[in-house]
Amino acid sequence: MKEYLFTTCLETRDYECDLQGVVNNANYQHYLEYTRHKWLQSRGQSFQQWHEKGIDAMVSEINIKYKSPLHGQEEFLSCLNLHREGARFIFEQDIYRKADMKLCIQATVTIVSVVNGRLSKGDEIAFLLEDVQ
């Protein structure tokens, strides 16, 4: 497993599985979002606080490569790294099954900053990268 800026351990729930007994593809987006929220909280920030200041971090693009399925009641590690490309903040997020450390998904999530309803250059949230690069 490569090095990550942030990692959290989660567990799948039976109701997230489809008829084949694997986690439905849509649930992975919930895991990815939850991980971004937990990372932000670990830095003493929250999307709610930002919203109250008129700053909204919005997903503009998600690309997910499904590698190996998760099943109900399996623990997994949800990991992220972050870098900036102009006004876009790129989260590279991977999920590993904890039991065997098998890579389950690789995702790239692109975030943009909207301030008071207008797309911004992202400078108001650039501090997120202070200890990253």
Side-chain angles (χ1 to χ4, degrees), residues 32-47:
L32 298 172
E33 183 173 12
Y34 182 78
T35 302
R36 291 190 304 276
H37 281 255
K38 293 305 284 184
W39 170 72
L40 198 57
Q41 288 173 351
S42 77
R43 301 197 47 153
Q45 301 285 319
S46 78
F47 288 111

Side-chain angles (χ1 to χ4, degrees), residues 3-6 39-40 42-45 80-83 89 125-133:
E3 286 190 39
Y4 293 95
L5 177 64
F6 181 79
W39 170 72
L40 198 57
S42 77
R43 301 197 47 153
Q45 301 285 319
L80 68 77
N81 282 320
L82 172 65
H83 69 276
F89 294 81
I125 61 173
F127 69 90
L128 292 173
L129 296 168
E130 287 175 359
D131 60 350
V132 173
Q133 296 178 337

Side-chain angles (χ1 to χ4, degrees), residues 91-105:
F91 286 87
E92 296 168 1
Q93 295 186 249
D94 298 329
I95 290 179
Y96 297 87
R97 183 176 27 249
K98 191 173 178 183
D100 59 6
M101 294 307 291
K102 187 158 191 157
L103 180 63
C104 297
I105 70 160

Side-chain angles (χ1 to χ4, degrees), residues 11-132:
E11 184 177 328
T12 63
R13 295 162 290 236
D14 290 336
Y15 65 82
E16 296 171 331
C17 297
D18 57 25
L19 290 173
Q20 293 83 24
V22 298
V23 171
N24 180 276
N25 67 84
N27 288 301
Y28 289 94
Q29 288 195 45
H30 294 282
Y31 303 153
L32 298 172
E33 183 173 12
Y34 182 78
T35 302
R36 291 190 304 276
H37 281 255
K38 293 305 284 184
W39 170 72
L40 198 57
Q41 288 173 351
S42 77
R43 301 197 47 153
Q45 301 285 319
S46 78
F47 288 111
Q48 181 64 36
Q49 290 170 332
W50 289 3
H51 178 73
E52 291 168 2
K53 295 177 185 176
I55 302 167
D56 292 302
M58 312 283 284
V59 172
S60 66
E61 183 179 345
I62 295 179
N63 181 14
I64 301 174
K65 295 178 184 176
Y66 298 92
K67 301 292 192 175
S68 184
L70 286 168
H71 301 85
Q73 300 178 345
E74 283 190 314
E75 287 188 321
F76 61 93
L77 299 178
S78 185
C79 313
L80 68 77
N81 282 320
L82 172 65
H83 69 276
R84 185 176 182 183
E85 293 178 6
R88 298 175 298 150
F89 294 81
I90 313 297
F91 286 87
E92 296 168 1
Q93 295 186 249
D94 298 329
I95 290 179
Y96 297 87
R97 183 176 27 249
K98 191 173 178 183
D100 59 6
M101 294 307 291
K102 187 158 191 157
L103 180 63
C104 297
I105 70 160
Q106 291 179 304
T108 304
V109 181
T110 303
I111 304 290
V112 296
S113 179
V114 175
V115 179
N116 297 319
R118 300 186 69 165
L119 188 62
S120 80
K121 293 180 182 178
D123 294 338
E124 58 286 328
I125 61 173
F127 69 90
L128 292 173
L129 296 168
E130 287 175 359
D131 60 350
V132 173

